[in-house]
Amino acid sequence: MAVVLVGGLLGGLLGGLLGGEEGPHGPYRPPYDVSCPAWTKLHRRFDDTRIEDRERAFLCLVRDAGGPMFPDDKSDQALLASGRTLCAQPGWRRADEWLRSGDRTINLHGLDSALVFLCPDVIGGPDLMPSDEQMLKEEADYVAASNAGCRDPWPKTRARKQGTAAYFTSEGGGYHLADDADPDNEDGVERDDDGLLTGEKTGVGIETIRAMNVCVTVKAFDKAPPLRLKGWQEVAEVGVTSRSGRLMVPAMQPGGGEGAGRALPNLAVKGPGHYRVRVYARGDEDASTMLPAEWHLIVVYPGRSRKEVVYRSRG
């Protein structure tokens, strides 16, 4: 009986000195790991990271990637400042900065997966899914910035009607100019990717060089302006008929992903009739940017010929 009592007292004393508690112990849990492999190798999620360790998680992820966006010679504070600057930008601008940096050690998903530890509300939380409201706001910012970056390549040549806008193409690029009130063009205009232009009776299909968004300037004249080839990679001309008195580059509709970023004018300056459409194109095929890096000039003037003329071709 005494042995049992002494044993119990000894056990309680040792337990008190060692910080133990009476009763059964749960399974052993290793201490919370704050080493970089917790995020770089085991991929600990944002939800499972303590608030005080989120900056560390970001630093671990970007230092593991390295590369031009987050070079090794930058201090922790400099990297955190770079991350917060990226957080303050719309999503397309972060993507643009990534493209311009040439950094391929980290992809866009990896970049957002690191930034979520600094600005979860901006990035879209652990699932990296911004709200619909945020996405609409960012889309509007992207359209506005793209339009603002487009300039008239013939600023000194005034036309009866003219305008400039960014054109947002569908996958594969290309767009069209057509009599949009003609039922024949209800589904757009077919394009032949063998050349710059594809002439249809009441519309013209236009190919892009980069298969991406472009800056488009339109100019409508009473007669043919001088032909200027300098500085352009492709120049071609074809005839088209407007039965309704309209020749339009389609504008992007609300919620749509294709069309001009702002309305461009009706180019059928003489009303219903026959017109010539001359298109000039040049593109920077090596450009790495979310903004348009291709420029088109569309010249329209009255003319009956339907003949296609290629003045300059890339081959």
Side-chain angles (χ1 to χ4, degrees), residues 43-54:
H43 308 294
R44 177 179 289 157
R45 286 173 50 84
F46 170 85
D47 286 342
D48 299 327
T49 300
R50 299 181 305 199
I51 293 175
E52 61 267 29
D53 293 322
R54 288 177 185 172

Side-chain angles (χ1 to χ4, degrees), residues 176-185 189 198-205 238-248 266-277 300-307:
H176 68 269
L177 165 76
D179 183 343
D180 61 351
D182 194 305
D184 287 350
N185 300 320
V189 178
T198 304
E200 299 288 340
K201 186 172 182 179
T202 58
V204 179
V238 72
V240 68
T241 299
S242 172
R243 294 191 281 223
S244 75
R246 289 174 62 83
L247 283 174
M248 305 291 297
N266 176 15
L267 302 176
V269 292
K270 296 292 187 178
H274 305 287
Y275 293 87
R276 297 289 291 172
V277 176
V300 177
Y301 62 91
R304 298 193 63 84
S305 173
R306 298 197 60 82
K307 181 180 179 181

Side-chain angles (χ1 to χ4, degrees), residues 276-291:
R276 297 289 291 172
V277 176
R278 185 188 303 164
V279 179
Y280 299 76
R282 67 171 180 260
D284 183 353
E285 297 185 67
D286 295 325
S288 295
T289 175
M290 293 288 290
L291 295 172

Side-chain angles (χ1 to χ4, degrees), residues 17 21 41 67 87 94 107 126 153 160 173 216 226 246 267 271 301:
L17 292 173
E21 295 181 357
K41 304 300 181 187
C87 283
R94 289 196 299 274
N107 59 28
R160 277 274 302 275
V216 176
R246 289 174 62 83
L267 302 176
Y301 62 91

